[in-house]
């Protein structure tokens, strides 16, 4: 399968790089400075298992001449609209789009634009970032990729994709409940982002303060109430594990949104928190803690322009 990875940041660079190293036919669709860096220096992955480097296949949107079999979208959610313009020449009649964006709104955007048959669900679990040299740094053993048909069916095309993605140096999961998986990731991301960004500290720093644990539980419960109202099927074991993870006093965990915030980068405030607040308002659920975190980040975002 010809695979086009849109974006070569921490997520796209890691999973796309691993696929390329495993011999898959991977091309990265990149822009500007990132394209220049990769042309000059290649792509380097720094992981707990060691360092890997490669000379990736790169393309610009205007240079795409034929469709790809799979398009893996790894851009930030606020860059989705511009990315859709870029992938237009890569779309064929049977092209699959696998987004790995945060939140859920992108599914509506993609299915409206390309039709439900063109889109599958996707998500990843990884703690990774780009360092000052533009190298992909994976910061923990976790590197999981989940994907599946939106209706949960096991089709021939999803099995073929599973074969292509498996055995490439990271953990893969062909899911028959990808939508619920995505709700659960949103629960983790939104809670982690709200806790660390609003309090400007890691999970352990927040949990160790007077009232910190109560605050974290309040955030988690607000997110849970909202996503349950929107269709999440509660998994009590996962909820308990997530709550324990986000209230550990010895944890140094932060969110990627917090790291972006502290470095002065754009943040996915609207997609990670704002959309949840909107859903809550729509069904009459109050979410004062999420509102506070979202307002905090919206002010930050506005101050950057």
């Amino acid at each position: 399968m010809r695979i086009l990875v849109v974006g070569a940041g921490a997520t796209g660079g890691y999973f796309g790089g691993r696929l390329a190293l495993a011999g898959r036919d991977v091309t990265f669709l990149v822009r500007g400075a990132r394209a220049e860096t990769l042309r000059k220096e290649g792509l380097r992955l720094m992981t707990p298992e060691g360092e890997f480097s490669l000379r990736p296949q790169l393309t610009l949107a205007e240079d795409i001449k034929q469709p790809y079999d799979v398009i893996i979208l790894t851009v930030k959610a606020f860059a989705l609209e511009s990315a859709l313009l870029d992938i237009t020449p890569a779309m064929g009649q049977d092209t699959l789009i696998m987004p790995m964006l945060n939140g859920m709104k992108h599914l509506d955007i993609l299915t409206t634009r390309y039709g439900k048959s063109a889109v599958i669900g996707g998500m990843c679990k990884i703690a990774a970032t780009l360092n000052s040299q533009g190298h992909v740094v994976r910061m923990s053993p976790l590197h999981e990729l989940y994907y599946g048909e939106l209706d949960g069916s096991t089709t021939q095309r999803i099995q073929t994709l599973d074969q292509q993605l498996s055995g490439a140096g990271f953990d893969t999961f062909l899911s028959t409940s990808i939508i619920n998986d995505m709700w659960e990731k949103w629960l983790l991301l939104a809670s982690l982002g709200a806790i660390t960004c609003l309090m400007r500290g890691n999970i352990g720093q927040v949990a160790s303060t007077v009232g910190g644990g109560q605050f974290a539980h309040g955030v988690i419960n607000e997110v849970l109430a909202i996503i349950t109202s929107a269709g999440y099927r509660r998994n009590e074991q996962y909820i308990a594990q997530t709550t324990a993870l986000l209230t550990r006093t010895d944890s140094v965990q932060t969110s990627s949104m917090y790291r972006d915030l502290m470095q002065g980068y754009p943040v996915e405030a609207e997609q990670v928190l704002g959309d949840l607040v909107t859903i809550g308002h729509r069904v009459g659920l109050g979410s004062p803690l999420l509102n506070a975190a979202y307002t905090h980040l919206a002010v930050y975002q506005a101050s950057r322009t």
Side-chain angles (χ1 to χ4, degrees):
M1 299 180 83
R2 298 180 70 241
I3 301 172
L4 182 68
V5 178
V6 184
T11 300
Y14 182 77
F15 289 106
R18 282 289 204 178
L19 286 167
L21 286 167
R24 310 302 193 267
D25 184 357
V26 175
T27 300
F28 291 91
L29 175 58
V30 287
R31 288 178 168 184
R34 186 60 175 158
E36 201 60 34
T37 298
L38 292 174
R39 286 194 186 97
K40 288 181 178 178
E41 303 179 15
L43 177 61
R44 182 173 296 180
L45 311 180
M46 304 174 71
T47 80
E49 300 84 44
E51 295 187 16
F52 307 87
S53 60
L54 67 148
R55 289 284 173 181
Q57 295 186 82
L58 305 176
T59 190
L60 302 175
E62 57 266 28
D63 296 329
I64 297 175
K65 304 302 181 186
Q66 56 181 317
Y68 285 78
D69 298 306
V70 182
I71 299 174
I72 303 178
L73 284 171
T74 69
V75 297
K76 294 287 189 180
F78 49 71
L80 177 60
E81 287 297 335
S82 60
L84 297 187
L85 295 176
D86 289 346
I87 69 172
T88 297
M91 286 295 300
Q93 184 175 353
D94 298 317
T95 299
L96 283 181
I97 303 175
M98 185 173 87
M100 292 200 290
L101 282 71
N102 294 327
M104 301 287 276
K105 192 174 183 178
H106 62 275
L107 289 182
D108 292 333
I109 294 171
L110 290 168
T111 55
T112 298
R113 184 158 186 158
Y114 299 109
K116 286 188 176 181
S117 63
V119 183
I120 62 173
M123 54 161 273
C124 64
K125 295 181 181 179
I126 186 171
T129 189
L130 292 183
N131 66 14
S132 58
Q133 289 79 43
H135 303 153
V136 177
V137 181
R138 199 183 98 226
M139 298 175 287
S140 79
L142 190 69
H143 54 163
E144 299 178 349
L145 189 63
Y146 296 72
Y147 41 86
E149 297 284 4
L150 297 179
D151 63 1
S153 60
T154 304
T155 60
Q156 182 60 53
R157 68 178 189 174
I158 204 69
Q159 291 176 314
T160 301
L161 178 63
D162 181 46
Q163 293 170 0
Q164 287 287 299
L165 299 178
S166 298
F170 52 84
D171 300 321
T172 56
F173 300 87
L174 173 54
S175 174
T176 57
S177 57
I178 192 64
I179 295 297
N180 222 52
D181 296 335
M182 291 170 68
W183 281 122
E184 289 185 341
K185 182 179 180 181
W186 202 1
L187 168 63
L188 174 62
L189 281 184
S191 300
L192 177 60
I195 293 166
T196 57
C197 290
L198 187 57
M199 293 300 146
R200 297 294 183 105
N202 64 41
I203 288 298
Q205 289 171 322
V206 176
S208 298
T209 63
V210 176
Q214 183 180 4
F215 164 73
H217 278 277
V219 169
I220 295 165
N221 288 336
E222 286 185 7
V223 178
L224 262 176
I226 292 170
I227 66 174
T228 301
S229 76
Y232 169 56
R233 300 191 307 276
R234 290 175 63 104
N235 177 339
E236 298 304 330
Q237 181 179 3
Y238 178 84
I239 293 169
Q241 290 172 344
T242 300
T243 301
L245 184 71
L246 298 182
T247 53
R248 283 181 51 183
T249 56
D250 63 343
S251 174
V252 297
Q253 186 175 18
T254 60
S255 67
S256 59
M257 190 159 61
Y258 170 81
R259 295 190 292 272
D260 287 341
L261 171 69
M262 299 307 290
Q263 295 179 78
Y265 296 157
V267 295
E268 294 180 306
E270 185 65 38
Q271 295 80 12
V272 175
L273 298 180
D275 286 343
L276 279 176
V277 170
T278 299
I279 295 171
H281 286 166
R282 190 183 305 142
V283 297
L285 288 173
S287 53
L289 299 178
L290 287 180
N291 269 283
Y294 172 57
T295 301
H296 176 67
L297 291 172
V299 170
Y300 161 80
Q301 195 85 303
S303 70
R304 296 187 69 259
T305 60

